[in-house]
Structure formats: structure tokens, C-alpha cells
Amino acid sequence: MKQIKFFILAVTFSFLISYPALAADEPSPDDKQKTLTMETFTVSASKREGTIKDFPGNISVMDDMFIETRGIDTLDDLTRFAPNVYIKNTSSGGSIVCRGISTIDTSLFSPMGLYVDDVPYPIGYMSDQDLFDVDRIEILRGPQATLYGRNSESGVINVVLKQPDNEKHKKVMLELGNYYTARLGISASGPISEDELYYGISMQGLTTRGYNTNILTNDDDVNGKKTFNGRGTIRWTPTDDWDISFNLDGAMRDLGISALRYMEGPSATDRYKVTSNESDKATEEEIGQSAKIKRSWSNMELTSITSHRTFDREHHLDSDRTAKEISYSDLNMDTDSWNQEIRLASKGKSDLSWLVGVYGSYENIDAGINFTNVKPALSSTRLGNSEGTEYALFGQATYEIINGLRLTGGTRLDTTYNTGEQTYTPNTGATSYKESVDDTEFLPMGSVAYDFNSHVTAYTTVSTGFLAGGFNFYSATDADSFAYDAEHTLNYEAGIKTNWFNNILTFNLTGFYTDITDKQVRESVADGGVGAWKFSNAAEAHTQGIEVESRYKPIPELQFIAGFGYADSEIDDWSTIVGGKSVDYSGKKLPWAPEYTYNFDVQYNHASGFFAVADLLGTGEQYFDAANDLKGDAYQTVNLRLGYKTGDLEVSIWSENIFDTAYAVKKVASGTGDTMVEDGAPTTYGVTLNWSF
């Protein structure tokens, strides 16, 4: 069946790719003088500068103007404009889902990689980053393991920040909204010594009460947040051949996580009404340092990136979500990681472009969780630690065989060594265990692209990826349920990238089919008690679908943006034991994987300075459990922003989810079988002031 589906996909896209070539005439001399470009964006997705057309796969790029005009301040908000990308952002953790490839609800790692200025942000809790002073964001769909290594089995998001230079920039952003929301951001950059030494600094703070109310205590500040993040950069260019930068960044977050409520049963409450007799708070601290050194020659460039990052999270949560004092949990996680990458890449235009590199990392994780219950037999403690190293050699090259026909190939040899240990203490006494998860991966990719003319490019790509194995810190009970191995993807895709009428219209279409093997799943532990699960590589699955993106600017003042992504993700083989009975999940949908996403955006800028932006953002149905019993219905939200810009000052009023659409971001079954839900955000509104000088 898989072979038949892929054959149909290949035939369909062969026709789509061939049609423009059959229809297009050879450009006239006048046309050649008006050369159409695929895109104006310069991207670094392939770890060297290029264009969207050069990238051997499907990529979306949002620049600073797109982000600021729409008031996008988190990565979660931004990905709603990217077909088939969805951020799971809940009280239990975060993860980035791309093309229907999701992961276990409580997994530490995300199957889609996140990088900020070439620095990895590997933990799922890091996925919804605040955005400020951003130059552009690149979203790469499909496995990217050849260049990016582990935890990029479904794609990569690259956040590229603005770099200081000789231009002086200062900016102040102030935003006020309902639910007692206030956001303040400031940034400044410029030369310390012209043409040689530069500085950059940015800071942002947010406070909001959130939209939930604890009806037990009448407290309306139970899922709010107070956050602060900042970054400082020193850039040194002693000569034209050297570019050296040092970065320091950090973030502190005080988060209300009282979000789950009962939607049925005796403890059921209305939307945004929760019941809890605990504080339901989480705190996070994140600190990073990095150094990037570039040395250029006439035909090549050497880049070294060194980074160190720590991330600490603690939370206290009412586990039973009722008015009774029954149970609560205390979680903690501390991570400390070092990363070093050195790569050498070609420069300039030639028939052959190439890149080779080496990579190494060290990671230490301390993690634990305490379950406290009024019944001592249901209480337990878990304290664990893991230590891992990773080494890799990688390379990728593109050769233009004839004019317009490019062949790209690459591979990566990636080796990891991980050891983990844990002590599990139920009321019957402590037990300790230790496991190792070592792995060596060979990660090739290949792509063929052809420019039928200056505005039509077709490509087909085969790529591989993997989600690293690890340790089950929060629900293991013995050595057998503690460790699990890597998950793997093999992706086939074909697409077409087009640009028409001097960049007035762009239209891109991609189809894909991905095999998922050694799928990491969560299974119950026989006689393990409350909160006892094991992670295993027990399933096989696949996902297939399409992505469509288009931009149309009929006149300079008016722009339309549209996107649609469809991902049919399905379990092919998974049999397990639930409640002492054999269960076959084959044919079920993968959880946490929306069937489709779409966006439609209209922007109008009047010569007087007035502007308006309207967005329609949709997410398809999804399931929150392997049995597909807990379903989240499809939903759509509408955002509107009206503003005025004069000189360096811009002011706008806005509203998100203006029709107050109700939707769920999480559902879970309680111990009694009743369904609990986390509600999506209601209507929000406010005013934003941006002053650049």
C-alpha cells in the first residue's frame, strides 16, 4: 500500500513539474532583460548563504517586517502562518509538530529542531520562544539530519537575529492588552568603533494574568505569566576577512499552569473555570553564551560556533484537579549543554558548492518528580541523571551538471554515548537502576532540482532523520521502563517553486511521504501503579500530504498571503497491552498531529500611513491519545490589526480570536475516566506602540 501511495504521489508531481516546462516558451531578449527572481530573501538554511530556490526542499521565510506588522511575539504565533507546522504548548510541556510527526506527551525533546543564531535549543520546554529584534525566521520542512543531526527528523526552525553594524538602531515597543497584559521591549545597536567594533542589546518583559479563574479560591491569576528575556552582543571585524561575535542571553519565567479543567463528571466546570487547591506554578531560568568566528577567503569560509546553555524548570501542580486535597506533583529539571561546530564552506557562484564540518556536544540532565497522595501507597519519588556526548562528521555538496540542473548530495556520521541512572522510591522502598543508550547513525540525503526557466524550479528530495533515544525520567519504575532507543524517518518529497510577473505572485507546491520506524510510544507498565509508564520503540507509522504557499501583490499597497498544509499521519503497526488486554492501534492517527492547517492574510498599506492586516488561521482536527478517544475538533480564529505609521512612530490597535472561538489545546483522561481539557486562548485585544529611532 505504501509503495502504491508513493507511486501515485510521484506520478502526480511528475506531471505538475513537467507542465510548466511544456507550457513555457523561451524568454525573449526583452524578457531576459527583466529577469524574474525566485525570492529576494537570503537564507542560511543550508549553513551557507543562498536563496529559497537554492534550498533542496520546502522552506518558508518570515522577515522582520512580516513579524512586526502582525504583532507576532512568540514562535507559537508565528508557526500558525507556516503550513503543516504546529506548536504543542500546554501545561505538561511543549513540542514542535511538523508534517504530523509528533512525540510522546511528556518527552523532553522535540522532533523538529530549533536553532537561534546556529545555537540549538533542544528541550521541548524551550520551543515557544519570545520573539524580539529578529531579522528573519526560516522554517525547513522534512528531515534535516544531514546538516543538523539529531532531533531534526521532521524539520528545523532557524531564528536569525539582527546583527549590529555601522548603522545606529534604537527601538522601543510598548503593548497593553486585556487580562492586565503589558509588554515592554527595548533594543539598541551600533558602532563602538566604526568599521571594527559593534554592540547590540535587547530586552523584553511581559506580565499578564491570563484568562483562567480558580473558582475554588476566586483567583483570576492562575495561568498568567511574568517573563523577562535579554540578549547582548559584541561583534568585532578587525579586517574584511574576520567576523567575530560574542553573545550572552538569558530568560526568567514565572508561569501559572492551572489550565486543566474537567469537561465532564461531577467536577465539570465551564470554559476557563478551573478547580485547584494548589499553587499550580512553574519557574524557568535559561542562560546561554555563544561565540561565532568566521574567517573568509576568496573562495571559501571557515566558521566556528561554540555555545553553552543551561535551562532549569520547576513546577508544582494539583494532580487531581478537584476541590479535594488528594494529590499533587513536584517536577524539576536542570540541563547543562555544550556544543561545538566547525565547518568549511565554499563561497561565490560556481558549478560546485560544498560544505564539510565536524560537530561535538556534551549534555547533562538532572530530572525528578515527586507524586504526593493522601494514600501513601500511591505516593512516589523519582530522581534521575543522564550524561551524554555526541560526535559527528558531515558534508553536503551541490553540482550544476548543466545549466539549470542541480544535483545535491550529503551525508552525516553521527555517534552518541548516553548513560542514565535513576532511583525510584514508592512506599515499598527505593530501587535504583542504570542504563546506556549508545547509537551510531548514517544520515544521507539526495536531491535533484531543475530550473525550467528563471521563474519555475522543480525539485525532488530523499532525506533521513532521527529523534534521539533517551531516558524516561518521570514515569519509569525499573530498568526495563527507563531507557528507549532512537526513532527514524525516511522522507520522499517533490515540489515546485514559482515566481511570476516580476515577483508580484509566488506559488509553491510540495508533496511528501515519510516512513517512521522505531516509533517512540508510551505504554502502560503492568502492576506499575499510578503514573507508571514505559517508553518503547514499538510502533511503525507514516505520514503523507501536501503544502501550498502563495503570495500575491497586485499593487504596491495590497498583499495577499495564503497557505495550506495537509498531513495524514497514521500508525501502521502497534500492538500493546492496556488494562491487561491486548490492543491493536494499527490504523489510528498519531496523537498531537493536526490533520491540516491553513492561513489567509490580507495586508493593506495606504500612502497616508494607515494600514490594516486581517488573518484567518485554521487548525484541523487532532487526537490527544493513541486510542483516538480524545479528539480535538477543527477550529479557526480571526485576527485583525489597524494602525498608523508616521516617520519613526507606529501605533496599532488589534484583536486576536475576535469571534471568541472555543477550542482545545489538550485533552487527557483522569484516573476515574472523566475527560479533562485545556482551553485555547479567548478573544484578546490591545494597543501596540513601536518607536524606532
Side-chain angles (χ1 to χ4, degrees):
M1 181 61 71
K2 292 182 183 179
Q3 289 83 356
I4 293 173
K5 290 178 180 177
F6 180 67
F7 176 76
I8 294 172
L9 183 67
V11 170
T12 301
F13 272 85
S14 294
F15 173 76
L16 289 171
I17 291 169
S18 300
Y19 180 76
L22 297 174
D25 295 326
E26 178 68 19
S28 67
D30 289 340
D31 292 334
K32 291 180 179 179
Q33 293 176 4
K34 301 176 183 178
T35 302
L36 302 175
T37 59
M38 179 62 66
E39 269 288 7
T40 57
F41 292 120
T42 296
V43 299
S44 54
S46 295
K47 299 197 173 184
R48 57 179 182 267
E49 288 191 351
T51 66
I52 289 178
K53 181 176 72 173
D54 297 331
F55 179 72
N58 190 355
I59 180 174
S60 300
V61 182
M62 288 83 159
D63 64 3
D64 57 342
M65 290 301 298
F66 180 93
I67 294 169
E68 292 175 12
T69 301
R70 286 152 188 81
I72 296 171
D73 47 42
T74 68
L75 198 58
D76 187 8
D77 292 338
L78 181 127
T79 55
R80 297 202 67 190
F81 294 89
N84 271 340
V85 181
Y86 170 81
I87 288 188
K88 184 196 81 173
N89 189 13
T90 71
S91 61
S92 60
S95 181
I96 309 174
V97 180
C98 180
R99 292 183 171 177
I101 300 176
S102 57
T103 188
I104 303 162
D105 183 25
T106 54
S107 173
L108 290 181
F109 303 105
S110 171
M112 188 175 197
L114 173 61
Y115 289 77
V116 179
D117 275 353
D118 285 316
V119 175
Y121 284 51
I123 303 298
Y125 287 116
M126 300 177 179
S127 58
D128 190 22
Q129 290 287 313
D130 292 328
L131 302 178
F132 186 63
D133 210 31
V134 171
D135 181 67
R136 68 182 183 274
I137 294 180
E138 305 167 356
I139 299 178
L140 293 57
R141 300 177 187 83
Q144 305 295 328
T146 300
L147 292 181
Y148 290 91
R150 65 175 181 158
N151 304 338
S152 60
E153 67 163 349
S154 65
V156 163
I157 296 178
N158 276 330
V159 180
V160 182
L161 302 177
K162 294 180 179 179
Q163 296 300 307
D165 53 25
N166 279 325
E167 295 291 328
K168 295 181 179 180
H169 299 279
K170 296 181 178 67
K171 180 180 177 180
V172 176
M173 182 273 293
L174 175 63
E175 185 171 273
L176 301 175
N178 58 335
Y179 299 106
Y180 300 92
T181 300
R183 185 189 305 270
L184 175 65
I186 60 173
S187 66
S189 65
I192 298 173
S193 176
E194 192 166 331
D195 295 328
E196 184 174 2
L197 191 63
Y198 322 90
Y199 78 96
I201 186 170
S202 63
M203 294 179 287
Q204 182 178 215
L206 166 70
T207 179
T208 180
R209 288 192 182 181
Y211 38 82
N212 283 352
T213 298
N214 186 341
I215 60 176
L216 184 64
T217 62
N218 202 32
D219 186 355
D220 64 354
D221 188 11
V222 294
N223 78 320
K225 60 174 70 174
K226 295 178 177 65
T227 68
F228 174 82
N229 57 81
R231 173 179 293 268
T233 300
I234 292 293
R235 183 182 175 207
W236 182 37
T237 55
T239 69
D240 291 341
D241 299 329
W242 287 92
D243 192 337
I244 303 169
S245 60
F246 301 94
N247 301 281
L248 172 66
D249 70 274
M252 295 182 293
R253 307 179 185 100
D254 185 359
L255 310 173
I257 56 173
S258 195
L260 273 174
R261 65 174 178 87
Y262 282 90
M263 60 181 298
E264 60 185 14
S267 299
T269 58
D270 294 331
R271 187 178 173 211
Y272 308 127
K273 305 299 183 183
V274 301
T275 304
S276 173
N277 46 47
E278 300 291 339
S279 60
D280 293 341
K281 292 289 186 180
T283 59
E284 295 178 352
E285 292 186 3
E286 188 174 355
I287 299 176
Q289 308 90 30
S290 65
K292 180 184 289 188
I293 302 173
K294 288 185 179 181
R295 172 63 165 96
S296 298
W297 294 273
S298 60
N299 60 351
M300 69 180 68
E301 183 176 76
L302 180 68
T303 303
S304 170
I305 302 163
T306 306
S307 65
H308 172 240
R309 190 154 211 87
T310 61
F311 179 87
D312 304 330
R313 177 183 170 99
E314 296 181 356
H315 87 219
H316 178 82
L317 183 68
D318 184 346
S319 303
D320 59 275
R321 312 305 300 162
T322 68
K324 299 178 181 179
E325 295 185 2
I326 298 175
S327 63
Y328 61 86
S329 64
D330 291 285
L331 176 146
N332 68 82
M333 180 186 66
D334 300 330
T335 68
D336 190 335
S337 62
W338 289 86
N339 297 271
Q340 174 65 59
E341 181 170 289
I342 300 174
R343 58 181 187 252
L344 184 66
S346 60
K347 281 181 60 180
K349 293 288 186 180
S350 66
D351 292 341
L352 177 66
S353 59
W354 51 268
L355 177 147
V356 294
V358 296
Y359 174 82
S361 71
Y362 168 82
E363 182 177 69
N364 186 284
I365 299 175
D366 292 318
I369 191 166
N370 298 335
F371 290 105
T372 303
N373 196 287
V374 293
K375 298 179 180 179
L378 300 180
S379 298
S380 63
T381 298
R382 292 173 176 86
L383 293 174
N385 168 267
S386 70
E387 191 171 26
T389 55
E390 179 183 10
Y391 308 97
L393 299 171
F394 61 92
Q396 186 168 299
T398 298
Y399 180 61
E400 189 163 12
I401 302 171
I402 59 173
N403 186 32
L405 179 62
R406 297 181 299 281
L407 176 65
T408 299
T411 190
R412 184 185 189 100
L413 183 64
D414 197 300
T415 300
T416 57
Y417 304 94
N418 288 280
T419 58
E421 57 186 1
Q422 186 176 59
T423 298
Y424 168 56
T425 310
N427 73 316
T428 55
T431 179
S432 299
Y433 34 87
K434 184 176 182 179
E435 287 290 317
S436 295
V437 180
D438 300 334
D439 190 21
T440 297
E441 300 285 348
F442 177 66
L443 303 158
M445 67 80 62
S447 178
V448 178
Y450 184 64
D451 302 329
F452 289 106
N453 50 49
S454 59
H455 55 271
V456 178
T457 296
Y459 75 92
T460 183
T461 297
V462 179
S463 56
T464 54
F466 77 107
L467 177 63
F471 302 99
N472 175 17
F473 289 114
Y474 300 132
S475 56
T477 56
D478 53 29
D480 290 338
S481 58
F482 183 49
Y484 55 96
D485 294 323
E487 171 181 314
H488 301 88
T489 53
L490 175 60
N491 178 66
Y492 310 88
E493 71 178 79
I496 187 168
K497 305 175 185 180
T498 71
N499 185 301
W500 306 94
F501 315 122
N502 284 316
N503 210 30
I504 290 175
L505 172 67
T506 64
F507 180 83
N508 301 332
L509 175 65
T510 300
F512 64 89
Y513 183 94
T514 307
D515 268 318
I516 309 170
T517 56
D518 308 310
K519 179 66 182 170
Q520 296 170 4
V521 293
R522 191 174 74 169
E523 299 183 303
S524 59
V525 176
D527 302 320
V530 177
W533 302 89
K534 66 177 180 179
F535 297 169
S536 59
N537 302 86
E540 309 291 322
H542 75 273
T543 179
Q544 60 185 348
I546 63 169
E547 286 128 10
V548 183
E549 288 187 287
S550 183
R551 295 193 181 205
Y552 179 47
K553 198 170 187 177
I555 57 176
E557 298 84 5
L558 182 63
Q559 179 177 237
F560 299 92
I561 301 174
F564 175 78
Y566 171 75
D568 177 23
S569 57
E570 184 177 304
I571 297 170
D572 297 323
D573 182 24
W574 180 20
S575 296
T576 187
I577 303 295
V578 178
K581 297 180 180 180
S582 296
V583 176
D584 188 355
Y585 288 136
S586 301
K588 300 290 187 179
K589 301 295 184 182
L590 286 175
W592 300 100
E595 184 178 20
Y596 58 83
T597 66
Y598 61 86
N599 62 278
F600 182 73
D601 174 283
V602 181
Q603 178 180 343
Y604 180 75
N605 295 82
H606 193 268
S608 64
F610 287 99
F611 66 91
V613 183
D615 302 313
L616 173 66
L617 306 171
T619 301
E621 67 178 35
Q622 62 176 308
Y623 295 93
F624 300 105
D625 65 328
N628 290 181
D629 293 329
L630 302 173
K631 180 182 177 182
D633 293 328
Y635 63 92
Q636 62 184 25
T637 59
V638 175
N639 301 340
L640 183 64
R641 181 173 294 261
L642 303 173
Y644 178 72
K645 181 177 177 62
T646 175
D648 297 329
L649 189 65
E650 177 186 294
V651 61
S652 59
I653 57 174
W654 51 266
S655 179
E656 297 183 354
N657 192 8
I658 61 175
F659 298 114
D660 199 29
T661 299
Y663 61 97
V665 298
K666 178 179 180 175
K667 288 183 179 180
V668 63
S670 70
T672 59
D674 294 324
T675 299
M676 294 187 287
V677 62
E678 286 190 23
D679 298 308
T683 299
T684 56
Y685 52 85
V687 58
T688 302
L689 173 72
N690 283 297
W691 181 29
S692 301
F693 56 99

